[in-house]
Amino acid sequence: MTSAPLTFETINSNTIIHGDCLRVMPQISAGSVDFILTDPPYITRYQDRSGRSIQNDDNDAWLKPAFAEMYRVLARNSFCVSFYGWPQADRFMNAFRAAGFRIVGHLVFPKRYTSGSRHLRYQHECAYLLAKGYPNEPEYPIGDVIDFVYSGNRLHPTEKPLSALLPLVETFSTYDGLVLDPFAGSGSTLHAAKSLGRRYLGIELDTRYHALAANRLCAV
Ligand SMILES: C[S@@+](CC[C@H](N)C(=O)[O-])C[C@H]1O[C@@H](n2cnc3c(N)ncnc32)[C@H](O)[C@@H]1O
């Protein structure tokens, strides 16, 4: 786990830090990140069929402080895309607004499979497009419905498919811009950023997923 203060070199060195983002982000300079694409715990006590769970998925104590820090480190007139769990939509909305973000879009990711079945067959993921300030509108806006191919969840129980992340990184960040994912998991956002020639910074609390992500990024 990281404890020493982060240097400018570390933050800009395409890395994933092992630690709690609530402790790491305060060490990042205000306004130094160009785009945030993140997939925080959905606060649903998720457990997959093999018993894998997600740290901090059982509480929301981190939610408001994390989005306040994301807002602080993001450059003015820039975007953040955050996945969220629909059962806690109100808590996520409150945290986005309390941090200062403007909600400027909503993305839906239809799945070709059912991830759960109860009152409905649950077949989509969702995310909000948030703005700090008033960023320029993209020259070629992407659609707000993006196909969600099954990732296989081999590296992480809620691994996001690269194909869903690439258009977001491409549209909302610029070549060589710094992309942050403070809830990096197996490093899918960072993989997308590296593939597109962006600089990247990830933070992951879980030792196992941190190691998997670090290995994965070496191979990109
Ligand atoms: C929904 S998962 C992200 C999965 C990722 N998108 C992927 O494709 O692998 C959320 C991750 O946030 C991590 N996490 C939870 N609380 C955290 C914290 N305070 N700081 C850093 N990471 C945290 C969890 O360990 C988990 O791996």
Side-chain angles (χ1 to χ4, degrees):
M1 287 253 191
T2 183
S3 52
L6 293 181
T7 61
F8 176 81
E9 287 73 23
T10 305
I11 288 162
N12 283 283
S13 66
N14 297 320
T15 193
I16 175 160
I17 294 169
H18 178 214
D20 182 337
C21 67
L22 297 183
R23 287 171 172 265
V24 176
M25 284 196 285
Q27 300 176 53
I28 302 174
S29 307
S32 59
V33 168
D34 299 298
F35 175 51
I36 297 174
L37 173 53
T38 195
D39 175 25
Y42 287 4
I43 322 175
T44 51
R45 297 177 187 272
Y46 177 77
Q47 205 167 49
D48 74 3
R49 289 191 187 115
S50 59
R52 291 183 300 177
S53 57
I54 292 165
Q55 292 200 39
N56 277 325
D57 199 31
D58 61 350
N59 76 88
D60 72 351
W62 51 271
L63 184 58
K64 278 192 173 173
F67 277 94
E69 273 303 304
M70 285 188 236
Y71 187 86
R72 189 187 65 80
V73 301
L74 192 61
R76 193 189 310 204
N77 301 328
S78 300
F79 291 104
C80 168
V81 171
S82 178
F83 286 87
Y84 73 99
W86 61 262
Q88 304 294 356
D90 52 343
R91 294 194 204 189
F92 276 91
M93 282 269 204
N94 285 341
F96 301 152
R97 292 204 165 110
F101 282 113
R102 294 190 309 117
I103 296 173
V104 297
H106 186 250
L107 292 139
V108 176
F109 302 83
K111 296 174 174 173
R112 297 176 189 177
Y113 58 97
T114 300
S115 53
S117 188
R118 206 171 166 199
H119 307 294
L120 290 168
R121 283 184 288 115
Y122 300 110
Q123 292 183 321
H124 77 281
E125 296 283 330
C126 37
Y128 276 106
L129 175 64
L130 310 171
K132 174 172 175 175
Y134 293 84
N136 290 334
E137 291 164 15
E139 194 174 354
Y140 302 104
I142 55 171
D144 59 8
V145 179
I146 301 178
D147 195 22
F148 195 94
V149 178
Y150 183 49
S151 68
N153 293 333
R154 282 184 303 277
L155 298 175
H156 192 284
T158 62
E159 190 179 326
K160 296 292 179 285
L162 205 54
S163 58
L165 306 179
L166 286 166
L168 299 170
V169 173
E170 188 158 39
T171 304
F172 298 115
S173 67
T174 52
Y175 185 77
D176 203 34
L178 180 60
V179 176
L180 171 68
D181 184 354
F183 296 92
S186 65
S188 307
T189 292
L190 314 178
H191 186 157
K194 187 171 182 185
S195 313
L196 290 168
R198 274 59 171 170
R199 290 174 294 128
Y200 63 85
L201 176 63
I203 308 167
E204 172 54 43
L205 184 58
D206 190 300
T207 310
R208 176 178 153 80
Y209 300 132
H210 171 264
L212 283 169
N215 281 339
R216 176 183 185 183
L217 290 163
C218 286
V220 178

